[in-house]
Amino acid sequence: MNKKSIKRLLPIIVGCLLLASSAQAQEPNFSLYHYTPFFTNPGEIGAVEDTRVMLNYRNQQLDLDENITSSSVSAYYPIYIGHNRLVTAINFLNDKNSEFLSSNGGMLGLSYSLKTTKSSELSFGLQAGFFQRKIGEGFTTDEQFVNGVFDPNAISTDAVLNQSVGYPIISGGLFYKVKDDLGLEKAFIGASIFNVNGPNISLMGDQKDNLPMSIKGTAGYRVFRGGNFSVLPTARWVYQAGNSFLNVGSRFAYELSQSGENAKKIELGIWYNTNDYGVFSLAYEQPSFTLALSYDKTIGTELGSAQKGVFELAISFRLQKKEKPTFVEAAVQEVIGPEEVAVEEIDDAAETMEEVEEPAAPEQKVVEEETTAPEEKPDVPEEVAVSKTTFTPAEKAILAKIVNFDLNTYDLDKESKAFLNGIADILREKEGFEIELVGHSCDLGSEKVNKFLSLNRAETVKDYLVGKGVDINSIKTVGMGEEVPLEGNDTPEGREHNRRVEFKVVY
């Protein structure tokens, strides 16, 4: 077929491309969908925890050397409000369906992430954008050939060429995510609706060609984590214009370092797409940088004859690390304001928190608790309290023990209260001593919050002992934060033992 014949068939080719691409306009379904919140779920924008820039590129090779490409750049900026998060984002997209049909535009996204528990959050997201869809210029038709010679001044009257249309789109979604104690992804589920306004994207004058609404769902649950290796099966379902497809597979991760949210890992992804594709991906992730590649290989023979495969690239850069407030820090901010908790403010904040959370005075606690049934006490040797001025070996052994706390809390459990009952029995009988309560934390969270948290643990133990009749003037409190770990912070057990209060007796 010669060049002139191709030019004669151009309007027909363009018309076919318009029909084939109308369902995909402004909605490329990236295979690396967990790196494309704008095209997977607007609610997932709220899961971004640091200031980031993401780049995405998709190239789908067709027969006759035609390519469908999608290029996207997006930026995300989270704002922490207490322990919740508001994320603002912007995206620019170039979607090229062929050599002469393309779409360009941008979107603004807004997502609010609500902390539901210490390890989970629910995000609500909305996004709106404006796009222009157009047929490229510079193509010729028969009307521009005069006596077999091309006349550049001749104007084509073909209604298809050199046309464009602009239109808005609106989308929304919900996204729920769960992390483990290390801050690593454990499970997620999300649902979203795209193009809810159904805009007309026709390039043919008064004709109607509404962009169809689409529904997308994603889910994943980590079924195994042992040592440095983890397995997280995932699924994505997409329904659009009466058609649907499903991605089913898994992500296999190997952690190069075990530092919670600061971990570095290599991840392999394998999925099956019910449109007869096999999807393979490889990613390297660290806190400040992510690089991911994927390739979609056709499995069905019909598709294989027309398509040569799909290549994708995803790159993410962290521009600014955001301090992530814990439940404790959020409570402090509600009392002293949204400013960052400073070390010099910790003492005043702790006293304020006592007034907010413990309205009853210690003396009232004694009266109330003495009227209740006798509390459980630990086994204490009979030789305790032999002397009022010194501590016996048995008493010293009891004081050498510690009180442990759950992550991000300074609450006493039943077992800790029973232990402190025995400590109070010893201290009430002693004279001429001073006891120092030293609070500690693990290394999860910011240093300033951990400092505040450790001090409040010591203050909580002090309040309980005073409530049991121990002289308040004989007790001092110190918060060491994460500075003096009892064990390594590289295991859940080690971090659990480090969240503690120790007893030091000074004569």
Side-chain angles (χ1 to χ4, degrees):
M1 184 179 292
N2 58 37
K3 186 174 181 180
K4 185 175 179 180
S5 298
I6 295 175
K7 291 173 180 177
R8 289 176 178 175
L9 292 174
L10 183 60
I12 300 175
I13 297 173
V14 170
C16 293
L17 284 169
L18 289 174
L19 293 174
S21 65
S22 62
Q24 280 76 38
Q26 278 66 73
E27 201 183 321
N29 290 307
F30 287 91
S31 294
L32 294 170
Y33 56 87
H34 47 296
Y35 297 120
T36 56
F38 270 97
F39 307 103
T40 303
N41 187 337
E44 196 171 342
I45 292 173
V48 179
E49 300 181 352
D50 299 303
T51 302
R52 284 190 175 272
V53 171
M54 295 184 185
L55 308 175
N56 299 92
Y57 175 75
R58 178 178 173 88
N59 186 338
Q60 182 173 356
Q61 295 180 305
L62 305 177
D63 201 7
L64 301 176
D65 295 324
E66 280 286 352
N67 289 344
I68 296 176
T69 63
S70 297
S71 303
S72 167
V73 57
S74 53
Y76 306 81
Y77 184 79
I79 303 170
Y80 283 88
I81 306 172
H83 53 265
N84 300 323
R85 184 172 58 250
L86 178 68
V87 182
T88 59
I90 187 171
N91 173 270
F92 298 97
L93 173 71
N94 171 257
D95 200 21
K96 189 175 181 181
N97 294 104
S98 69
E99 183 181 353
F100 35 79
L101 177 63
S102 64
S103 302
N104 295 277
M107 292 179 283
L108 292 174
L110 192 66
S111 182
Y112 187 75
S113 181
L114 179 66
K115 195 82 170 179
T116 53
T117 68
K118 296 175 188 176
S119 59
S120 64
E121 55 188 25
L122 177 64
S123 302
F124 310 82
L126 289 173
Q127 64 189 41
F130 187 84
F131 290 86
Q132 184 182 53
R133 191 180 188 213
K134 64 180 298 184
I135 298 296
E137 300 178 356
F139 297 98
T140 59
T141 63
D142 286 348
E143 295 172 330
Q144 294 174 286
F145 284 84
V146 179
N147 296 323
V149 179
F150 173 68
D151 182 0
N153 296 318
I155 300 176
S156 172
T157 59
D158 195 291
V160 176
L161 298 179
N162 303 321
Q163 299 297 308
S164 66
V165 60
Y167 56 90
I169 60 171
I170 300 173
S171 308
L174 299 175
F175 187 74
Y176 182 72
K177 185 175 182 178
V178 180
K179 294 183 177 182
D180 61 15
D181 289 342
L182 290 174
L184 301 176
E185 185 179 42
K186 185 176 182 179
F188 66 88
I189 187 170
S192 57
I193 301 178
F194 286 80
N195 315 320
V196 295
N197 55 321
N200 182 18
I201 61 174
S202 174
L203 291 166
M204 307 293 290
D206 296 332
Q207 293 186 16
K208 290 290 185 179
D209 183 16
N210 294 96
L211 186 64
M213 182 176 67
S214 67
I215 301 173
K216 298 182 181 182
T218 56
Y221 183 79
R222 192 178 69 199
V223 297
F224 175 80
R225 185 174 187 273
N228 292 19
F229 184 70
S230 62
V231 180
L232 195 154
T234 67
R236 175 182 64 165
W237 174 71
V238 178
Y239 175 84
Q240 185 176 36
N243 300 309
S244 66
F245 69 87
L246 180 67
N247 278 70
V248 181
S250 185
R251 287 152 49 188
F252 304 88
Y254 181 80
E255 296 171 14
L256 302 175
S257 64
Q258 292 182 324
S259 303
E261 294 179 337
N262 296 318
K264 298 177 182 179
K265 66 178 180 179
I266 296 175
E267 187 174 88
L268 171 68
I270 302 176
W271 296 276
Y272 171 70
N273 186 315
T274 55
N275 283 333
D276 287 334
Y277 278 99
V279 183
F280 308 90
S281 72
L282 182 65
Y284 170 70
E285 294 186 6
Q286 59 168 299
S288 59
F289 175 76
T290 295
L291 173 64
L293 303 170
S294 76
Y295 186 75
D296 299 12
K297 176 64 177 177
T298 55
I299 298 175
T301 55
E302 294 182 3
L303 281 175
S305 62
Q307 302 188 19
K308 300 178 181 180
V310 183
F311 168 78
E312 272 191 33
L313 169 68
I315 304 176
S316 174
F317 300 94
R318 184 176 71 185
L319 303 183
Q320 179 186 6
K321 180 179 179 180
K322 291 283 188 176
E323 292 295 337
K324 303 169 181 60
T326 63
F327 278 120
V328 174
E329 186 175 31
V332 174
Q333 290 179 351
E334 291 174 3
V335 176
I336 66 175
E339 297 82 4
E340 184 178 24
V341 181
V343 174
E344 59 268 21
E345 294 173 326
I346 289 177
D347 292 335
D348 294 337
E351 294 176 3
T352 307
M353 289 294 293
E354 291 171 14
E355 296 175 3
V356 173
E357 296 192 1
E358 300 290 346
E363 291 76 13
Q364 292 175 315
K365 286 183 178 179
V366 176
V367 174
E368 293 172 357
E369 292 176 356
E370 288 178 350
T371 60
T372 61
E375 294 180 277
E376 180 185 354
K377 296 182 180 181
D379 294 331
V380 181
E382 295 180 357
E383 62 265 31
V384 299
V386 171
S387 171
K388 285 185 174 292
T389 58
T390 61
F391 290 84
T392 67
E395 291 171 339
K396 291 179 180 179
I398 293 174
L399 290 170
K401 297 180 179 180
I402 61 177
V403 178
N404 287 113
F405 294 82
D406 290 334
L407 180 65
N408 290 337
T409 72
Y410 43 86
D411 299 324
L412 296 169
D413 57 23
K414 183 178 179 180
E415 182 179 352
S416 297
K417 290 179 179 179
F419 171 67
L420 291 175
N421 290 339
I423 295 291
D425 289 342
I426 296 174
L427 298 182
R428 281 198 306 266
E429 302 299 324
K430 299 299 179 180
E431 298 174 353
F433 76 95
E434 184 178 277
I435 188 164
E436 187 176 74
L437 305 178
V438 185
H440 301 269
S441 74
C442 65
D443 66 345
L444 298 180
S446 68
E447 291 184 7
K448 293 179 180 179
V449 171
N450 286 337
K451 189 84 170 180
F452 168 78
L453 188 59
S454 65
L455 178 61
N456 269 270
R457 285 169 177 163
E459 290 288 339
T460 297
V461 173
K462 174 184 176 180
D463 288 346
Y464 191 85
L465 293 176
V466 170
K468 291 297 180 181
V470 180
D471 183 7
I472 190 173
N473 296 317
S474 65
I475 304 177
K476 287 189 176 181
T477 56
V478 178
M480 299 301 295
E482 59 189 70
E483 298 175 7
V484 189
L486 187 64
E487 299 181 16
N489 279 303
D490 53 351
T491 64
E493 294 78 13
R495 287 187 294 273
E496 182 180 354
H497 293 160
N498 289 335
R499 299 190 290 266
R500 70 197 189 279
V501 168
E502 297 175 329
F503 304 87
K504 290 186 178 180
V505 179
V506 181
Y507 292 100

